[in-house]
Each structure stands twice: as C-alpha cells, then as structure tokens.
Amino acid sequence: MPGLLKRTPVRYALNAAAALGLYIVIMSLIGGKVLNRYQALMLIPIGYNIILAVSLNLTAGFLGQLPLGHAGFMSVGGYAAALFSMSVSLPPSFELPAALLIGFTVSAMFGVVIGLPALRLKGDYLAIITLGFGEIIRVIILNLKFTGGAYGLKGIGRQTTVTWVYIFVLITLYVINTLIKSRHGRAIISIREDEIAAEASGIPTTYYKVLAFSISAGFAGVAGGLYAHYLSILDPSTFGFMRSVEILVIVVLGGLGSVFGSVISAAVLTILPELLRGFAEYRMVIYSLLLVTVMIFKPSGLCGRYEFSLGDSIDGLCASIRARILKKGGGGDASGS
Amino acid sequence: MTFVYLVIIGLQIGSIYALVALGYSMVYGIVKLVNFAHGDIIMVGAYCVWYLMSRLAVPAWLAVPAAIALCSVLGVLIEKIAYKPLRNSDRLALLVTAIGISLFLQNAVQLIFSADPRMFSNIFEGTISIGDRQFSNATAVTIATSTLIMIGLTLLVKRTKIGKAMRTVSEDGEAAQLMGINVNNTISFTFALGSGLAAVGAVFYCCSYSQIQPTMGNMLGLKAFVAAVLGGIGSIPGAMIGGVLIGVTESFTRGFISSQLTDAVVFGILIVVLLIRPSGIFGRNIGEKV
C-alpha cells in the first residue's frame, strides 16, 4: 500500500483526479449560483496571475536570477495572441489555444533574444537590464501602427472562459513542475545554488539560463493572451514597470522557489484588494503595509520553499493512521519535500 | 542655436536627475539596496513644498528647508523601520520591502491629497535670454545650485570625518565596525543626505514641470536610477555624470527625433552600457571569488 503511491502513474492519476474534482467543484459553485457573476469572473484574473507568478518563479526562484521585465513578455504574448485571433477565423475551440500557442512562441523567442545578452549579467544588474528591456517593449508597442499605439488594441474576441483559464493553469503547473523535477530542472537549481560550482561540474550554464528564461517568458505570453481575450482590449500603459513589480511581489510573498506558494499567493493577492474594496480608499495603503509587515517578519515568503504534493500528503496521512493503529506511537512523516 | 538651447535644457533636467541619482547611488553603495522608495520621497518633498506654499502661504525660503528636513527625517525613519530589520536577510526580501514602502507612500499621499494633479507655481519667476532663446530663471538656478551642491557633497565625502566613515562602510561594513565606526549612524546619515537631496531635486522638478501628482516619483525615480547605473552605481561623480548624460540625451531625443521615443532611447543607452561595461562609467569591476 505505501509503495503504490510512490509510483509515477498512480501519482499522475491521483493528481488528474484531484484537478478534475476541483474543476467540478468550481463549475458547480458557479452553476449553483454560490459564486455570483462577479465572483466567477474573478477566477479569470486569479488564473492568469497564477500563470504569471509560477512562470516568474522559474527564473526568480529556481534559476535564482531576478528579472524585472515580466510585464514586457506578458504584453508581447498578449499582442501576438490578440493580433492572431483578430486576423483569422477558426472554430472557437481552436482559436484561443492556437492564439495562446502563438503568444507562447513569440514571447519565448523574445525571451531568447533578450535573455542571451541580459543573462550575462547577475543580480541587481540583471534586474535593471530586464527592467530596461521591459520599458523598451512598452514604448515600442506604444509607437507601432499595427498595435494600435497609445489607443491600444480593441475588439479582441472575449474568448477567455473559466474553463480555458483552468486548463492553461494546469498545463503551466504541469510543465513547470515536471521541468523542475527533471534533470534539466536540477541543472537550473544548481545554477541558483552556486553558478561557479555548476559550471565546474560541466553544466552548460548559459544554455540552462536562457532555457529557463525563455520558458518563463513564454508562459508570461500565455497569461498575456488570456488577459487580452478576457478584457478584449489591450492598453500598452498597463504593461509598465509596476505590473512587473506586482508579479514579483506575488512570487516573493509566496516564497521564492515554491510553486505551491506562488499559486496560493497569486490567489490571495488577487482577491485581497477586492475584499478590501469595502475600505475603498484605504485598501492600497493596507495592502502595502501588509506587504512590508510580511517581509519584515517572514523574509523567505509565506511558504518558503515548501512544495505541496498530493501523493506525499496522502502517504503521510496513511502512515500516521497506521502508526496510530499499531500503537507504536510517533506520527508519520507528514511533510513532503 | 538650437543645439545650445537643447544642451542647456538637458543640463537642467540632468541636474535634477543627478540630484536624485546621488541618493540612489549613495544608498546602494552603503547597504547594497536599490531603494525603490526614493522616487516617492521626491514626491513627498514636492507635496510638502506645495502644501506649505499654496495652502499655508509659507514663503519659499522657509518651505524649501522644511521640505528638505521632512524628507531627511522620512528617509531615516524608513531605513530604521523597514530596512534595518532585513539588513542581513535575502536581498530580494529587502527589494520587495522597498517596493512596499514605495506603494505605501504613493497611496498615503493619494489618500490625503487625492489623485488629482496639483498646480505648482514656479518659485523662480522671470526669464533670462541668451541669444534669441528665452530661459526661465529656474533653469539657471537649477544648474547653478546643483553644481554647488555637488561640489559641496564631494568635499563632504572626501574631506570630512563622516564622509570618510561613509566611504569606509561602503567598502566593507564589518571591517568598518571593527575600526570603531558607528555603522548604524553612518547609514542613517546617508539616508538623510540622500533624501534631503531628493527634496532639493523635487523643488527644481516642480519649477520646471509645474504639476505634481502622487505617482510622479515613478518615472523620475526610474530615470534617475538609470542615471546612477550609467555612471556606475555606488560612485558619486558617476551619479552626477550619469544624470547629466541622461538629461542631455533626453532633450536631444526630444529635439531631434521624437518626444515619444525618449524613454526608449534612455533605456536603450542603459542596456548598451550594461552590456559593454556592466559596472557603469565610473564603477569598479569587482571579480567574483570562489
């Protein structure tokens, strides 16, 4: 019995079942009018913020480099996806995934082009240069003809639904989780731990840095595509430096190097300003004070590097129940790694 | 003539950037923190002068020192409350705290004075004409005062005891402590100095742009930061040169290319400099030790 849950196919089946279960719960909450229309629509921003945060966590948390231009990639992907879906007419169930794929590809290509020179720098300098690239992308979009310039892009089909967002959140989580747990992921983490040691061990650090950076950029593009097809307008001024900062705040608050933390923190930080709407003008002040307080008292973020794993949790639960039945005392090891 | 005009306007904007960049650079040199709240300290300074002058009818010669004092105190308070507890933790946590403080200042000011832009009347009335071009007195005062301040600052850092302490702490904080230098006081002094300079920058900024709003610190702060990096972050002459370079580049782009592309050109220069010489014009390249 304990060995069963350690097997990969069983784990996959378990996670797939849990994902499906959560989807059914969400849809029935919407269908049963437990969540009103406004609350149901809030699920979409939560979804694309999760994608943004998890993808940024790949570079900030696992690769250990700090980029400050994530909003730039989001806008590239958003514009690419929107321009694609506006120029073609495919069946509805194909159009959005195709547009998002375009968004991913274009954004990831930008990631490679920007990453190759930028990733030669480290730490604060990398943050500054990505910030520069992010601002340049915004200014260029602002001055191009086919992106609508300062007026933005209007009339994008409202195709983003809760279901699509849910599917793409799952794809993002799956790809990034498996990437991190693979050989490539360990190479990426080794760069975070000690770049010189990693290079000395024969890891092609430049390759892995650019790989992680461009995958991260690609998923930011997917989030941008979802965002574009949710709001149906794209305004270049919303992709400024402050948007990149917002995403970074989500990641750091959730815990650098914790995908689980990013998901929780994206959800909480998307809902929190809405919950504080009752305090209207005080909400942003409270939000910023909360941010500073959390950082002062728990600088590693709310979840640190903790990862939630359904299989491990059930495993631990079973072990502790068994231990209790056998009266051998001592609980099981309930925490996963 | 256009050329000279653009250079002078560029010097004016550049001096403001340089004053703000000095704050970024000094703080970075000492605590290795990109102080994102610095841009918002400028904004607080601008609101302070505006409130004192237009609401309480305080004369300018009193309002400006009051704003400098307020900003200095604010800078020290922020350092003591928010940055000091995190001095030994992860750099990213410190960065996020700075972002949090920046958001807090913006929203607190917005709460008190509303988000509407306020008009700021030029303190230095009158114009000077050079050739066939007219310059406002503010241009002359900005360039002259900034030059004086920078000379003073250089003397302060090079010649005085506290200046020596600042240089020592930025070189090696722990060794400085062993030599009997009060590191906490030195850091507080640096924050006070940087924030005071930001307030001076705020006054000059308001005189040339005549409009203030709670988010004005974002772009001004960002460009001043670019100036600091361009000159070599942590270096005082670097911040001055960087500021002037950014200012002149901006006014040339505005004059000869397009006013919409100024930001792209400024950040483009930043990228080129970082790729060719990552430590900036005056920065020292410190090799990594295994």
Side-chain angles (χ1 to χ4, degrees), chain B:
Chain B
M1 202 56 224
T2 320
F3 184 79
V4 178
Y5 174 76
L6 289 176
V7 169
I8 291 176
I9 293 297
L11 278 177
Q12 181 192 5
I13 312 167
S15 319
I16 298 169
Y17 287 151
L19 286 176
V20 181
L22 281 169
Y24 275 111
S25 213
M26 287 194 295
V27 165
Y28 188 89
I30 278 202
V31 283
K32 298 280 172 289
L33 159 75
V34 178
N35 186 8
F36 269 104
H38 197 61
D40 301 286
I41 290 178
I42 308 165
M43 180 269 299
V44 172
Y47 267 89
C48 177
V49 176
W50 167 79
Y51 185 76
L52 286 175
M53 285 181 64
S54 69
R55 290 291 162 89
L56 305 179
V58 174
W61 59 267
L62 200 62
V64 174
I68 296 174
L70 177 83
C71 285
S72 300
V73 172
L74 187 66
V76 174
L77 273 182
I78 290 172
E79 196 272 325
K80 288 268 183 251
I81 296 169
Y83 301 156
K84 203 179 162 201
L86 286 164
R87 207 174 281 164
N88 294 318
S89 63
D90 194 28
R91 297 261 294 281
L92 264 178
L94 202 56
L95 196 68
V96 173
T97 313
I99 292 166
I101 294 286
S102 156
L103 282 176
F104 171 73
L105 288 178
Q106 267 176 41
N107 289 292
V109 168
Q110 190 165 330
L111 198 63
I112 302 169
F113 296 111
S114 93
D116 306 329
R118 306 280 179 174
M119 294 314 285
F120 192 99
S121 55
N122 193 343
I123 300 176
F124 312 104
E125 297 278 332
T127 52
I128 314 167
S129 46
I130 300 174
D132 52 352
R133 294 278 190 167
Q134 295 256 314
F135 293 97
S136 114
N137 269 350
T139 309
V141 175
T142 303
I143 297 173
T145 318
S146 307
T147 315
L148 282 180
I149 287 177
M150 285 172 204
I151 293 171
L153 191 71
T154 314
L155 288 178
L156 178 87
V157 173
K158 285 264 160 75
R159 296 284 165 84
T160 61
K161 208 168 180 185
I162 185 80
K164 205 183 228 174
M166 277 166 69
R167 281 183 288 147
T168 321
V169 174
S170 79
E171 193 85 24
D172 189 333
E174 280 173 30
Q177 202 151 21
L178 289 174
M179 295 297 121
I181 291 167
N182 190 331
V183 173
N184 282 337
N185 281 356
T186 313
I187 292 176
S188 296
F189 179 77
T190 310
F191 268 88
L193 196 60
S195 309
L197 290 177
V200 179
V203 174
F204 291 146
Y205 180 84
C206 296
C207 288
S208 49
Y209 290 89
S210 74
Q211 203 184 51
I212 58 174
Q213 58 192 78
T215 51
M216 65 180 258
N218 279 346
M219 210 51 197
L220 177 58
L222 217 52
K223 283 196 187 146
F225 178 58
V226 170
V229 175
L230 185 64
I233 197 155
S235 145
I236 289 175
M240 299 172 190
I241 302 285
V244 171
L245 275 181
I246 293 285
V248 173
T249 312
E250 239 190 75
S251 87
F252 271 45
T253 318
R254 207 165 274 156
F256 293 126
I257 307 173
S258 142
S259 62
Q260 284 177 320
L261 284 176
T262 43
D263 292 357
V265 171
V266 167
F267 287 107
I269 288 177
L270 171 79
I271 288 169
V272 172
V273 167
L274 281 180
L275 288 178
I276 296 170
R277 199 178 151 75
S279 49
I281 300 172
F282 282 92
R284 279 174 306 167
N285 213 345
I286 299 161
E288 199 179 346
K289 288 178 200 143
V290 180

Side-chain angles (χ1 to χ4, degrees), chain A residues 84-326:
Chain A
F84 174 79
S85 75
M86 283 164 84
S87 58
V88 298
S89 52
L90 292 170
S93 56
F94 279 115
E95 196 169 300
L96 186 68
L100 293 181
L101 190 67
I102 298 279
F104 179 92
T105 319
V106 174
S107 216
M109 279 183 334
F110 266 75
V112 174
V113 171
I114 292 173
L116 271 175
L119 288 164
R120 287 168 52 201
L121 303 171
K122 290 192 190 89
D124 297 322
Y125 290 113
L126 179 74
I128 300 157
I129 200 166
T130 46
L131 186 160
F133 276 118
E135 287 295 306
I136 287 178
I137 290 176
R138 185 177 63 81
V139 176
I140 289 175
I141 289 177
L142 203 61
N143 286 297
L144 282 178
K145 278 273 184 311
F146 65 91
T147 55
Y151 295 105
L153 209 56
K154 292 196 180 68
I156 308 159
R158 279 182 199 272
Q159 301 185 28
T160 304
T161 59
V162 174
T163 311
W164 276 124
V165 170
Y166 192 76
I167 291 171
F168 280 98
V169 168
L170 283 185
I171 293 175
T172 312
L173 289 177
Y174 174 76
V175 171
I176 292 195
N177 251 321
T178 39
L179 174 73
I180 290 162
K181 295 213 171 101
S182 70
R183 195 165 67 91
H184 308 288
R186 286 193 296 277
I188 289 170
I189 291 171
S190 76
I191 296 174
R192 171 187 76 191
E193 296 300 331
D194 191 332
E195 197 178 329
I196 296 175
E199 202 160 3
S201 317
I203 289 167
T205 49
T206 311
Y207 169 76
Y208 277 114
K209 275 169 148 183
V210 175
L211 178 78
F213 194 72
S214 62
I215 291 176
S216 162
F219 279 110
V222 170
L226 287 168
Y227 173 85
H229 290 90
Y230 161 64
L231 284 184
S232 98
I233 51 164
L234 279 176
D235 173 5
S237 67
T238 55
F239 296 109
F241 166 63
M242 279 322 280
R243 165 83 65 167
S244 303
V245 165
E246 270 171 37
I247 307 166
L248 183 70
V249 165
I250 294 177
V251 174
V252 177
L253 214 54
L256 282 164
S258 165
V259 172
F260 175 71
S262 290
V263 173
I264 298 294
S265 143
V268 170
L269 286 188
T270 315
I271 301 170
L272 193 68
E274 300 300 319
L275 284 183
L276 291 173
R277 215 167 260 276
F279 302 93
E281 64 260 49
Y282 293 99
R283 72 191 176 113
M284 282 311 286
V285 175
I286 298 173
Y287 174 84
S288 54
L289 283 179
L290 217 59
L291 195 66
V292 174
T293 318
V294 170
M295 277 300 112
I296 290 176
F297 292 104
K298 196 145 183 354
S300 61
L302 291 173
C303 295
R305 280 183 187 170
Y306 169 79
E307 282 300 0
F308 174 78
S309 153
L310 193 60
D312 284 344
S313 305
I314 296 176
D315 231 18
L317 199 66
C318 292
S320 70
I321 291 169
R322 202 167 50 244
R324 205 160 290 172
I325 291 169
L326 295 174

Side-chain angles (χ1 to χ4, degrees), chain A residues 5 8-20 309-312 314-315:
Chain A
L5 279 163
T8 316
V10 179
R11 287 263 169 121
Y12 276 136
L14 198 65
N15 285 330
L20 194 67
S309 153
L310 193 60
D312 284 344
I314 296 176
D315 231 18

